[in-house]
Amino acid sequence: EKLKNSISTLESTIPKSDIRENAISKLKIRISEIKNLRNSISISKLLGIEGQCARVYFSCWQGLPLNWEGARRKPIPPSWGGFSTRTMGWRKRSRAARHPVNSMLNYGYGILEHKIQTNILARGFDPSIGIVHGNRENRIPFVYDLMEPLRPTVDLIVSDFIKRNAFSPSDFSINKWGGCRLCPQMASRLTESLIAVLVENITSSFSKFLL
């Protein structure tokens, strides 16, 4: 489901190009592989496919421009002019995002996590019992299991938000770890764009996977 939704987001967000079409083709091939391996696929194999697909998917985001206002008065890092990479290997926590786009994506995933956990608890499920994401560091693996198909929906909302808005350097701050964070007013604007769409999609997703 995540790969299907990733294809839909690419088709809706990224202008048609050889890079986009090649990425969509690779994602479709991976979907076919998963279907063929349905009876024997391991968790490690599944996570490997997911990681490869994520790299292909976000490679299409490279060059996504951000419109800036007031950057002459308060200069921004040169890399903030457009999106380059989703990779944040030097530190995995959301506080470590070094680019506004990654910061907005992380914030959106945080909203998604909160909404799904609320729904899980309301329906009587235990968020600590997961299928794919269980490990010592993750206390709510079932939440992350259910987040995966909806991550591309967050991506779509964030991409649309970026296209519709001009940003000010004051919309973001840099914390003591060097991470880019959303300022409160910016976070509030993005939340308004996220909530209604996510609630609708979470309800639909729960109906499909849990009922």
Side-chain angles (χ1 to χ4, degrees), residues 151-198:
R151 286 182 184 271
T153 301
V154 173
D155 303 340
L156 181 62
I157 298 169
V158 170
S159 174
D160 182 63
F161 183 82
I162 291 170
K163 293 174 182 177
R164 290 188 291 102
N165 288 275
F167 301 99
S168 166
S170 61
D171 288 332
F172 304 92
S173 62
I174 299 177
N175 64 21
K176 64 181 180 180
W177 296 279
C180 174
R181 303 299 299 271
L182 276 62
C183 291
Q185 296 86 349
M186 176 66 182
S188 178
R189 288 163 52 197
L190 182 55
T191 298
E192 290 179 3
S193 297
L194 286 162
I195 291 298
V197 178
L198 286 184

Side-chain angles (χ1 to χ4, degrees), residues 102-114:
N102 281 327
S103 183
M104 286 185 276
L105 288 172
N106 290 344
Y107 186 83
Y109 299 147
I111 296 288
L112 177 62
E113 175 187 333
H114 173 73

Side-chain angles (χ1 to χ4, degrees), residues 34-191:
I34 291 171
K35 289 180 178 179
N36 291 334
L37 294 171
R38 183 178 298 167
N39 295 324
S40 61
I41 191 168
S42 65
I43 295 297
S44 59
K45 175 71 173 179
L46 189 65
L47 291 175
I49 291 174
E50 181 190 14
Q52 294 166 11
C53 289
R55 287 189 290 273
V56 169
Y57 170 78
F58 277 110
S59 70
C60 297
W61 285 57
Q62 291 183 7
L64 178 69
L66 282 79
N67 298 316
W68 292 96
E69 295 178 343
R72 291 185 178 180
R73 296 190 303 273
K74 185 179 180 181
I76 59 173
S79 62
W80 287 16
F83 183 66
S84 56
T85 179
R86 177 65 187 153
T87 303
M88 297 181 293
W90 68 283
R91 191 184 292 271
K92 293 184 178 180
R93 298 190 178 186
S94 61
R95 69 187 184 187
R98 292 206 171 188
H99 192 281
V101 174
N102 281 327
S103 183
M104 286 185 276
L105 288 172
N106 290 344
Y107 186 83
Y109 299 147
I111 296 288
L112 177 62
E113 175 187 333
H114 173 73
K115 291 297 181 183
I116 287 182
Q117 184 171 5
T118 299
N119 274 270
I120 283 176
L121 294 174
R123 294 166 186 257
F125 290 96
D126 185 347
S128 69
I129 303 175
I131 301 169
V132 176
H133 289 88
N135 58 53
R136 294 178 181 177
E137 298 178 359
N138 189 346
R139 297 180 179 180
I140 50 172
F142 192 41
V143 174
Y144 284 86
D145 286 343
L146 295 178
M147 281 177 62
E148 292 304 325
L150 293 176
R151 286 182 184 271
T153 301
V154 173
D155 303 340
L156 181 62
I157 298 169
V158 170
S159 174
D160 182 63
F161 183 82
I162 291 170
K163 293 174 182 177
R164 290 188 291 102
N165 288 275
F167 301 99
S168 166
S170 61
D171 288 332
F172 304 92
S173 62
I174 299 177
N175 64 21
K176 64 181 180 180
W177 296 279
C180 174
R181 303 299 299 271
L182 276 62
C183 291
Q185 296 86 349
M186 176 66 182
S188 178
R189 288 163 52 197
L190 182 55
T191 298

